[in-house]
Amino acid sequence: MNKELVGVINKNYIARETVELVLYSEEIAKTAIPGQFLHIQLPNHTLRRPISIASVDLEEHTVTILFKITGSGTQLLASYEHGMQLDVIGPAGSGFPIDDLKQDEPVLLIGGGIGVPPIHFLLEQLNARGVETKTILGFQTEAYVFYEEAFRKKGQTTIVTDDGSYQNKGFVTDYIEAAGSFQRYYACGPMPMLKALKSTMTEKEGYLSFEERMGCGVGTCLACVIPTNDEAGYKKICQDGPVFAANEVIL
Amino acid sequence: MNKELVGVINKNYIARETVELVLYSEEIAKTAIPGQFLHIQLPNHTLRRPISIASVDLEEHTVTILFKITGSGTQLLASYEHGMQLDVIGPAGSGFPIDDLKQDEPVLLIGGGIGVPPIHFLLEQLNARGVETKTILGFQTEAYVFYEEAFRKKGQTTIVTDDGSYQNKGFVTDYIEAAGSFQRYYACGPMPMLKALKSTMTEKEGYLSFEERMGCGVGTCLACVIPTNDEAGYKKICQDGPVFAANEVIL
Amino acid sequence: MDLSVSLPGLELKNPIMPASGCFGFGREYSQFYDLGILGAVIMKAATGEKRLGNPTPRVAETASGMLNAIGLQNPGVEKIIETEIPFLNQYDTSIIANVAGSKVEEYEFVAETLNQASSLSAIELNISCPNVKEGGIQFGIDPDLAYELTKRVKKISKVPVYVKLSPNVTDIVGMAQAIETAGADGLTMINTLTGMRIDLSSRKPIIANKTGGLSGKAIKPIAIRMINEVKRHVDLPIIGMGGIASAEDVLEFLLAGADAVAIGTENFTNPMICKEVIEKLPEVLQHYRFSSVKNVLEERVI
Amino acid sequence: MDLSVSLPGLELKNPIMPASGCFGFGREYSQFYDLGILGAVIMKAATGEKRLGNPTPRVAETASGMLNAIGLQNPGVEKIIETEIPFLNQYDTSIIANVAGSKVEEYEFVAETLNQASSLSAIELNISCPNVKEGGIQFGIDPDLAYELTKRVKKISKVPVYVKLSPNVTDIVGMAQAIETAGADGLTMINTLTGMRIDLSSRKPIIANKTGGLSGKAIKPIAIRMINEVKRHVDLPIIGMGGIASAEDVLEFLLAGADAVAIGTENFTNPMICKEVIEKLPEVLQHYRFSSVKNVLEERVI
Ligand SMILES: Cc1cc2nc3c(=O)[nH]c(=O)nc-3n(C[C@H](O)[C@H](O)[C@H](O)COP(=O)(O)OP(=O)(O)OC[C@H]3O[C@@H](n4cnc5c(N)ncnc54)[C@H](O)[C@@H]3O)c2cc1C
Ligand SMILES: Cc1cc2nc3c(=O)[nH]c(=O)nc-3n(C[C@H](O)[C@H](O)[C@H](O)COP(=O)(O)OP(=O)(O)OC[C@H]3O[C@@H](n4cnc5c(N)ncnc54)[C@H](O)[C@@H]3O)c2cc1C
Ligand SMILES: Cc1cc2nc3c(=O)[nH]c(=O)nc-3n(C[C@H](O)[C@H](O)[C@H](O)COP(=O)(O)O)c2cc1C
Ligand SMILES: Cc1cc2nc3c(=O)[nH]c(=O)nc-3n(C[C@H](O)[C@H](O)[C@H](O)COP(=O)(O)O)c2cc1C
Ligand code: FES
Ligand code: FES
């Protein structure tokens, strides 16, 4: 992990209030693994903003992030253009463990809203390793849907919207059974979704990626703790996470 | 006086740490008189920055300001480029009284450092009215000299630098005698200069333009008062000034 | 949308008013918009005699805030009644006078004199101005003195008396309780926090008075905390202030426990702020699922 | 340029150290630069037993600052001595332990235990943590309790004892004087100001603990004022903190009356800040015509 200035290569609005930024960083592109995030400084903001890595391009040395404009920080981030520079710490946190996956069984990927970006990065890596994926993505409404094509190209994909304005209606949890069998699941999304997943799939091995308000983002301030079953009693989302095994954390 | 968004037309570095900005405002160009200032808002700064009007162009509807980078506000102001917008209140304050000038006697203009801009605007207006001017301008060193040509074109001009690195050495007050006779003087510059002028030219009618740290800039907060000889005992630099008759204020 | 609120002596069409000392007597800002849109106007402090205030510099900028040490400069209560209140009377808005002084007797005199002015809706006792050498501040940090002062002024005043709390205290609730017991009609809070900035070149404080009062966005979290704490312990209406710069901020103050709000420093940054906030408030309330300002006051959980 | 300063127990190569709670025990920031460049490190608070702290969210952003309510989460003093101090001992820097507790006995126990650790340069009594429900904060706002606590810990401790002042008091000088009389070796100031932010959607405080401590640039003018006021009345060395984010800020604190400084919140904004400030300090001192840090302390006029 490092602090570096990265150049903005490209910016795109890809859905309602949703922006994709392509950043140039040889180092981060080379070392990042799915689930890790960038901790981004913004002028006149005390706290950095954690944003997951959505993909990397090893040839172009670029890192793509994707975020929803929800407040003053993301609003400011959306104003960055080609040629400007961002001060980022990263790649931060630990990622989704995938080294021990079996080759011959599919995995289930579940992403909700702004939890989709790290799942997309994971999809790309699993695909590169030849692991079959099935994906369920949840969005608020049609206007917020993004990356559908990217997922479809690489495996079975179900899109769910809260109001049914696009494809299926309801919650991602409603579509897990229909997804069929899988060896393990990986999920990122809002806390209610992660809670529902953990309580529905008790016998399945699963990894969840969490969000919490962060101070330092590097493991020092203890702002971002999550209660765990182990002796310490807690883990740090920014450093030990954001990804945890579903059965090690207490939600 | 008004609050408006004005477009930046042009930016130039015209001397060391000294920036000239050309702004588009029909209204201000039309109504401003020499000595008035713009009170400029800058992002993430609580207090606006007062900057004098250095000239107006009635055909192009532009207003030129000129400032030295001395802190975070002027630093930020220097980052504005063509196409960007500034939130300004103006034209603020009262200007140099010139309506009662005699046509056939010269006036003496004295400007020190960042006090030169309003004197330049005054020069232009006097020139348009056919009043002869003699000017003494003081700067720190050669690197800080600006607008010399503009003044020379319109009348006798003496440049003084603190260290003599350019033309004459010393203080502007050292060169008043050599300037010869004049009906009235107008001056803007640092407080020690204004004090020296007031105490040297006790029998001359003179108008001085003052600086003070401002709050509101519109006459409401009483941050910018200057003691006066009248019954009230004070005047407000932002509203009653920044220009005062030398004999009405107590320095 | 109905933005009206009722506080003792104040039937306000909306809960927004400029804070004392940040709006003078309204003359200058009346060039920017019609003062009749304001819920009320709190005037600059009035003292018994004219005061010339502190030497300059009187202000300094800080991160998301500013320091000021104006020192209660004002033309004296009689002049204010003669020339300033009539000016404000032209507008369809409530007028609140800010009362300051060095001794109890001066507060009494100012309050009594103001009560003779017509169309004054309330007075605000400024017991917390940190920028005058003698008096004033002591009343704001000692609950016994605050009790005594409030009681004496209440005895004299026909119009409701609001007391303005200083945040420079250990126990803001204790102060508020003393003032409640003394019979005050309401509280206004917070005044400024005492601060200092040093100029590196001169090696001396920037402000001639050395210390000044910190105001602006920087102090908003402190204001919110104190208002919330006081509201949980004291049964008086609160006019909240401290760093308000948007309609969202107004809602945050109302949710914290304020019943109306005042905007100070932001007037300097943006002379149109009161107008903009009043215009934006309905949209913000609706966005957060409130039907009126009164609805916020009913639904909030303190 | 000579940046060194001497304070009781602390012969520092420069006056810069990270503030307690904003640097953990140094492990994470050691990835960013060599901790050996620091004047000292103040460790995260140590309590008698392991504590798990408050529920989350524990932080919220504010204008030029942040609120935190971590709640003294730490592995307990014994674990800290076992695993954290040895880690920091690898670096050529002074170590200051931050001591917290709910009762006088807990402070005594922690201080006593820490005194057994080798190579601890000083302890800092955190009598001002506003974020734990029981104890702690009372010591920081009551001069008699602060006196008593300081005296008892001083009796036990071989290493110098610094006491950390809370800004949430009416009379900061009174607090400092009580602590001086009790025999403290130095003061550190300021801790955070109690604040709150309310989330408009949930209509509840953002921080689970409801209130949190305000830190960062927003509080700098308050820190400067308090340090200056205390320095004019109390003869103890002061480690100053509160919103430091540049070498210029360091000079401002030194001119105000601090003898060394700590950087807290800005580490989160910029993990390289301590290193950058140390590197920039000589240039800034020279620009303002000082020849060394000691020269600043000699020439300043308090
Ligand atoms: C590990 C991690 C990865 C994330 N990845 C993404 C991503 O890929 N795309 C995306 O759009 N968002 C992502 N988020 C959420 C994102 O960090 C917040 O939306 C963002 O910080 C909001 O900042 P703001 O200034 O716009 O909002 P504001 O509400 O103004 O922010 C105020 C403060 O609250 C914090 N905050 C607000 N919402 C959140 C949140 N949901 N999680 C954590 N902190 C929050 C901010 O960081 C800031 O400190 C991620 C969060 C975490 C913890
Ligand atoms: C009526 C008037 C006209 C002016 N005209 C010009 C001009 O034409 N060109 C020019 O370069 N400068 C002019 N100045 C000075 C200019 O306002 C300051 O240089 C500028 O405000 C500095 O801001 P800063 O953020 O760069 O400096 P900082 O030192 O960071 O400013 C901090 C605060 O102090 C105030 N301040 C600092 N220096 C001064 C000063 N000399 N006078 C008033 N306030 C100050 C700032 O406005 C701000 O509120 C004028 C000042 C006044 C009062
Ligand atoms: C320049 C200035 C002058 C002030 N004068 C007064 C005053 O005369 N009487 C008073 O009670 N408060 C005075 N205040 C305090 C404000 O009314 C208000 O309580 C405080 O500034 C916090 O609000 P704000 O952050 O919105 O400015 C003054 C504040 C400023 C900035
Ligand atoms: C997240 C966080 C945790 C803190 N933890 C402690 C602590 O454990 N002990 C303590 O004495 N102060 C603690 N503080 C206070 C800081 O040490 C410091 O006094 C305060 O933040 C002001 O400095 P700053 O503005 O540079 O952050 C903490 C501050 C923050 C922001
Ligand atoms: S954000 Fe500081 S430890 Fe995780
Ligand atoms: S700056 Fe407010 S009265 Fe002049």
Side-chain angles (χ1 to χ4, degrees), chain C residues 218-236:
Chain C
I219 69 169
K220 199 184 77 172
I222 300 170
I224 293 283
R225 185 267 294 181
M226 289 189 164
I227 288 167
N228 189 256
E229 221 178 302
V230 167
K231 195 67 172 190
R232 281 188 283 117
H233 293 96
V234 172
D235 222 26
L236 292 177

Side-chain angles (χ1 to χ4, degrees), chain B:
Chain B
M1 189 171 44
N2 231 313
K3 171 168 123 57
E4 59 172 301
L5 283 176
V6 302
V8 176
I9 302 291
N10 201 1
K11 176 176 79 177
N12 274 306
Y13 277 84
I14 60 164
R16 180 181 294 170
E17 296 158 8
T18 310
V19 178
E20 186 188 69
L21 275 187
V22 183
L23 309 172
Y24 184 90
S25 169
E26 231 180 296
E27 183 64 23
I28 299 173
K30 209 165 56 195
T31 56
I33 62 170
Q36 288 188 307
F37 64 95
L38 302 182
H39 208 36
I40 305 176
Q41 198 199 317
L42 293 161
N44 296 300
H45 284 71
T46 305
L47 299 178
R48 288 170 178 261
R49 292 338 192 225
I51 305 287
S52 302
I53 297 171
S55 65
V56 301
D57 186 323
L58 288 171
E59 278 160 35
E60 302 285 335
H61 310 301
T62 58
V63 179
T64 298
I65 58 172
L66 196 146
F67 58 93
K68 197 169 145 190
I69 299 175
T70 55
S72 73
T74 45
Q75 182 83 56
L76 191 52
L77 191 56
S79 73
Y80 278 72
E81 302 282 353
H82 174 79
M84 295 169 78
Q85 288 195 312
L86 273 176
D87 175 334
V88 310
I89 296 175
S94 67
F96 292 103
I98 55 173
D99 286 340
D100 57 340
L101 278 174
K102 287 170 270 179
Q103 285 280 348
D104 52 359
E105 238 184 298
V107 304
L108 179 63
L109 306 182
I110 306 158
I114 55 168
V116 172
I119 296 296
H120 175 260
F121 188 13
L122 180 59
L123 169 87
E124 291 194 328
Q125 301 267 308
L126 293 176
N127 200 259
R129 293 174 178 226
V131 178
E132 187 193 337
T133 59
K134 301 174 177 185
T135 307
I136 310 173
L137 303 178
F139 298 96
Q140 282 171 270
T141 67
E142 178 170 16
Y144 291 98
V145 176
F146 60 86
Y147 277 7
E148 179 182 2
E149 265 313 292
F151 278 92
R152 286 220 185 281
K153 260 191 250 163
K154 296 187 172 155
Q156 172 194 318
T157 302
T158 309
I159 308 279
V160 186
T161 47
D162 295 0
D163 62 352
S165 56
Y166 189 69
Q167 300 188 2
N168 307 286
K169 175 179 166 137
F171 299 114
V172 292
T173 37
D174 304 336
Y175 297 85
I176 290 169
E177 244 192 78
S181 76
F182 53 89
Q183 57 171 312
R184 183 188 283 179
Y185 72 95
Y186 297 100
C188 184
M191 189 54 120
M193 176 186 120
L194 300 180
K195 273 193 182 162
L197 291 173
K198 178 175 160 144
S199 63
T200 342
M201 296 192 279
T202 41
E203 3 57 77
K204 277 286 178 190
E205 192 189 356
Y207 290 89
L208 309 174
S209 179
F210 293 90
E211 283 181 7
E212 185 51 83
R213 288 181 184 249
M214 291 185 178
C216 65
V218 301
T220 207
C221 75
L222 301 178
C224 67
V225 296
I226 184 166
T228 54
N229 298 317
D230 62 358
E231 199 211 342
Y234 74 96
K235 283 213 152 69
K236 295 180 267 187
I237 289 181
C238 70
Q239 189 182 41
D240 308 318
V243 177
F244 295 98
N247 60 13
E248 73 179 312
V249 291
I250 303 168
L251 303 187

Side-chain angles (χ1 to χ4, degrees), chain C residues 23 25 28 53 57 72 81 84 87 90 168 191 213 216 240 244 271:
Chain C
F23 209 72
F25 301 98
E28 293 78 18
L72 295 182
I81 293 174
E84 306 301 342
F87 172 78
Q90 299 172 71
N168 299 296
N191 210 317
I244 295 178

Side-chain angles (χ1 to χ4, degrees), chain C residues 23-98:
Chain C
F23 209 72
F25 301 98
R27 287 185 193 274
E28 293 78 18
Y29 289 105
S30 72
Q31 300 168 67
F32 290 95
Y33 56 86
D34 173 11
L35 304 187
I37 63 162
L38 296 168
V41 170
I42 309 183
M43 297 190 294
K44 171 77 188 157
T47 53
E49 302 293 322
K50 157 176 146 178
R51 291 204 191 187
L52 283 176
N54 293 323
T56 57
R58 292 177 170 187
V59 294
E61 196 177 56
T62 68
S64 296
M66 65 176 283
L67 295 173
N68 91 81
I70 307 297
L72 295 182
Q73 175 161 9
N74 80 97
V77 62
E78 276 147 356
K79 192 74 177 274
I80 290 172
I81 293 174
E82 197 181 305
T83 64
E84 306 301 342
I85 296 186
F87 172 78
L88 281 171
N89 261 333
Q90 299 172 71
Y91 299 97
D92 173 27
T93 189
S94 300
I95 307 174
I96 303 173
N98 183 272

Side-chain angles (χ1 to χ4, degrees), chain C residues 133-179:
Chain C
K133 284 270 132 46
E134 65 188 276
I137 182 74
Q138 270 313 115
F139 296 110
I141 60 178
D142 180 332
D144 295 336
L145 292 180
Y147 172 87
E148 185 59 24
L149 179 66
T150 307
K151 196 152 183 118
R152 300 248 313 248
V153 173
K154 255 313 275 182
K155 208 169 281 171
I156 286 168
S157 184
K158 285 169 304 201
V159 299
V161 175
Y162 290 75
V163 181
K164 186 159 183 176
L165 299 186
S166 166
N168 299 296
V169 297
T170 309
D171 180 12
I172 193 81
V173 172
M175 287 297 302
Q177 283 167 333
I179 289 162

Side-chain angles (χ1 to χ4, degrees), chain A residues 58-217:
Chain A
L58 289 170
E59 275 160 37
E60 303 286 334
H61 309 304
T62 59
V63 179
T64 298
I65 59 172
L66 196 146
F67 58 93
K68 196 167 146 193
I69 298 174
T70 55
S72 73
T74 45
Q75 182 82 55
L76 191 52
L77 192 56
S79 73
Y80 278 71
E81 301 285 354
H82 173 80
M84 295 169 77
Q85 288 195 312
L86 274 176
D87 175 335
V88 311
I89 296 175
S94 65
F96 292 103
I98 55 173
D99 287 339
D100 56 340
L101 278 175
K102 286 170 273 179
Q103 285 279 350
D104 51 0
E105 237 184 299
V107 302
L108 179 63
L109 305 182
I110 306 158
I114 55 166
V116 172
I119 297 295
H120 176 260
F121 188 13
L122 180 60
L123 169 87
E124 290 195 329
Q125 300 267 308
L126 292 176
N127 200 262
R129 292 174 180 225
V131 178
E132 187 194 336
T133 60
K134 302 175 176 184
T135 307
I136 310 173
L137 301 180
F139 298 95
Q140 281 171 270
T141 67
E142 178 170 19
Y144 291 98
V145 176
F146 59 86
Y147 277 7
E148 179 183 2
E149 264 315 292
F151 278 93
R152 289 224 184 278
K153 260 191 251 163
K154 294 187 174 156
Q156 172 194 320
T157 302
T158 310
I159 307 280
V160 185
T161 48
D162 295 1
D163 61 353
S165 55
Y166 190 69
Q167 298 188 3
N168 307 285
K169 176 179 166 136
F171 299 114
V172 293
T173 36
D174 304 335
Y175 297 85
I176 290 169
E177 244 192 79
S181 76
F182 52 90
Q183 57 171 310
R184 181 189 284 181
Y185 73 94
Y186 297 100
C188 183
M191 188 56 120
M193 175 186 121
L194 300 180
K195 272 193 183 164
L197 292 173
K198 179 175 160 146
S199 64
T200 342
M201 296 193 277
T202 41
E203 6 53 78
K204 276 285 177 190
E205 191 187 357
Y207 290 90
L208 309 174
S209 178
F210 293 90
E211 281 181 10
E212 185 50 82
R213 287 182 184 247
M214 291 186 177
C216 65

